[in-house]
Amino acid sequence: MSAVSRDIIPLFDLQLKDEDIAAVVEALRSGWLTMGPRIQEFEQAFAEHLGVAHAIATSSCTAALHLAYLAAGIGPGDEVIVPSMTFVATANAAVYCGARPIFAEVVDRERPVLDPADVLEKITPRTKAVVAMHFGGYAAAVDELIAICAERGIALLEDAAHAPAGELHGRPLGTWGLAGAFSFFSNKVLSVGEGGLLATEDEHVAQRVRSLRSHAMTSGSWDRHRGHADTYDVVDIGFNYRMDEPRAALALSRLGGLQEDVEKRRRLTRRYREQLRGLPGLIIPFDDADVAGAACYVMPVMLHDAGRQASVRRELRERHGVQTSILYPAAHEFSVYTERYPGLSLPRTELAARSELTIPLYPHMTEAEQDRVIAGLSAALDAPASRS
Ligand SMILES: *Cc1c(COP(=O)(O)O)cnc(C)c1O
């Protein structure tokens, strides 16, 4: 038995390079721990990476979403159309603004992204924004959503938490709408622990977000340190949504390896797709041609028979040592939302959420590890249904 076959294959695994750790140590040694030169350097580098005018680092993607919604003018009484097949933060940020998240359907299990046709059905005079989430780092139906929003004067926002190096028609994901929100949470494609970023071309959005990120103070501590300001005014009710310097240093260092990491993810994803293609009972979302532009955050698969989700996951874990997760339990089915909006039914999203399982993927995954996942999944699909 090889070492690999005894170990659990994790859903995700993080390997930091020595230079990443050195960058953090250097930030700590500098004695300046928040909102200093490393934040500015990281923001500039990320803006260049996206080819966008403004990149504003935040404490999390959730914070970036909240600020994006506020900057889009979302407030009490407004409606924000969001997918339900997403992490709950996409919807919660609307509630933070006093608005109502309107959950819309995915296209289907082959394409688990916001369905433009259902968005059209759900637009009302109160609709202020539509939020596209690039599931797994694969582009949402951006062309259709832009057309729908532009025609009606509704803002398109992007939850690009999964997509820091994804693109569509050669244009980076997260730069199509009024603003895009990225996540640097531990298990994301560009991970630093906790962190996020808002990208925008819009000068007004950028100013508002920079201001609200730090209590709407007219000058920051770094400005005052450099003698650019003596005091400050507070001009709005803002937040502490700042990123700190050690994380900016880590993010900047890891940004240098992002493209290479994503290329490795794409190569493993293509290999998964080739080898899983023939397995009966399995749907592999998205098309082979989509992989080239995807950030490949995760490898999602869907079981034809949604009733087998729990048993296949258990087989994989207990017999084959393969960790899986569900991306995502439908947000509208969480208690907090069934209590607020009882009776909401989204059959395609519910079927996708009950069919989905996410199998291991990380840049340094070996082919031997991947083969074990593939063999395990194949055996689990063959296992008699009575085991469920
Ligand atoms: C992870 C995630 C978020 C939240 O990101 P944080 O940085 O943890 O706040 C938001 N939306 C989606 C789709 C995510 O996957």
Side-chain angles (χ1 to χ4, degrees):
M1 215 189 232
S2 72
V4 114
S5 60
R6 280 194 304 272
D7 297 337
I8 298 274
I9 301 180
L11 196 59
F12 173 71
D13 189 45
L14 179 62
Q15 272 183 357
L16 295 179
K17 296 184 179 133
D18 289 346
E19 68 209 55
D20 299 331
I21 292 161
V24 176
V25 170
E26 197 190 309
L28 292 170
R29 288 223 168 94
S30 78
W32 192 275
L33 292 187
T34 194
M35 294 297 287
R38 286 168 186 82
I39 292 284
Q40 291 182 353
E41 214 185 317
F42 173 59
E43 289 181 340
Q44 202 175 334
F46 206 86
E48 276 166 26
H49 159 72
L50 291 176
V52 79
H54 310 279
I56 301 157
T58 55
S59 51
S60 69
C61 177
T62 305
L65 287 168
H66 185 191
L67 296 180
Y69 292 12
L70 288 172
I74 295 164
D78 291 333
E79 294 176 350
V80 182
I81 300 180
V82 298
S84 172
M85 189 129 181
T86 183
F87 184 61
V88 70
T90 321
N92 288 355
V95 180
Y96 301 164
C97 301
R100 175 173 177 158
I102 303 293
F103 292 107
E105 280 281 27
V106 289
V107 177
D108 54 25
R109 292 191 288 186
E110 280 77 17
R111 201 153 276 276
V113 295
L114 196 58
D115 176 22
D118 198 43
V119 169
L120 268 179
E121 288 281 311
K122 288 185 167 147
I123 286 175
T124 75
R126 287 185 295 277
T127 307
K128 196 83 178 199
V130 173
V131 187
M133 197 281 269
H134 305 296
F135 185 97
Y138 295 82
V142 173
D143 294 321
E144 292 93 327
L145 294 174
I146 282 187
I148 290 168
C149 290
E151 204 173 299
R152 292 164 182 80
I154 295 169
L156 177 70
L157 300 169
E158 293 171 82
D159 182 337
H162 300 182
E167 57 169 50
L168 177 69
H169 316 315
R171 180 165 164 178
L173 301 181
T175 70
W176 286 84
L178 181 64
F182 293 86
S183 176
F184 309 128
F185 179 67
S186 316
N187 70 4
K188 299 284 161 77
V189 174
L190 181 69
S191 45
V192 307
E194 301 285 355
L197 180 139
L198 180 141
T200 184
E201 284 295 344
D202 188 290
E203 182 71 40
H204 171 77
V205 167
Q207 271 177 17
R208 186 101 205 280
V209 167
R210 272 191 198 286
S211 170
L212 291 177
R213 169 179 68 173
S214 193
H215 297 294
M217 291 157 71
T218 52
S219 77
S221 48
W222 183 243
D223 298 321
R224 293 195 296 281
H225 174 70
R226 289 179 303 165
H228 290 186
D230 282 335
T231 182
Y232 61 86
D233 189 15
V234 171
V235 297
D236 202 341
I237 301 295
F239 308 89
N240 176 356
Y241 280 169
R242 300 181 297 252
M243 184 186 270
D244 61 25
E245 289 281 295
R247 271 178 276 202
L250 183 57
L252 184 61
S253 177
R254 301 210 65 225
L255 181 59
L258 175 63
Q259 210 56 47
E260 193 189 325
D261 279 353
V262 169
E263 279 310 326
K264 288 180 181 164
R265 287 173 174 277
R266 287 176 182 151
R267 196 179 57 73
L268 289 161
T269 299
R270 289 193 184 96
R271 195 164 178 275
Y272 262 141
R273 297 184 72 91
E274 277 160 24
Q275 312 242 346
L276 294 176
R277 199 183 324 271
L279 290 190
L282 204 62
I283 299 165
I284 304 171
F286 305 105
D287 294 329
D288 291 347
D290 297 326
V291 176
C296 296
Y297 164 51
V298 288
M299 181 66 206
V301 297
M302 304 262 180
L303 304 175
H304 257 293
D305 178 357
R308 296 189 64 196
Q309 187 187 47
S311 63
V312 169
R313 290 190 69 206
R314 190 170 53 236
E315 280 281 313
L316 278 169
R317 186 177 60 243
E318 290 175 3
R319 293 198 164 219
H320 306 283
V322 173
Q323 200 186 17
T324 61
S325 73
I326 298 175
L327 229 77
Y328 287 95
H332 74 280
E333 295 197 295
F334 286 129
S335 331
V336 67
Y337 284 117
T338 55
E339 280 159 22
R340 275 167 187 256
Y341 314 125
L344 176 61
S345 157
L346 297 170
R348 277 178 277 147
T349 297
E350 289 156 24
L351 180 64
R354 299 198 207 326
S355 307
E356 203 272 349
L357 56 105
T358 300
I359 56 178
L361 181 66
Y362 40 93
H364 57 276
M365 185 178 207
T366 64
E367 292 194 354
E369 287 170 324
Q370 197 179 26
D371 288 343
R372 240 186 72 197
V373 176
I374 293 162
L377 183 54
S378 171
L381 287 167
D382 277 344
S386 62
R387 281 186 56 90
S388 59

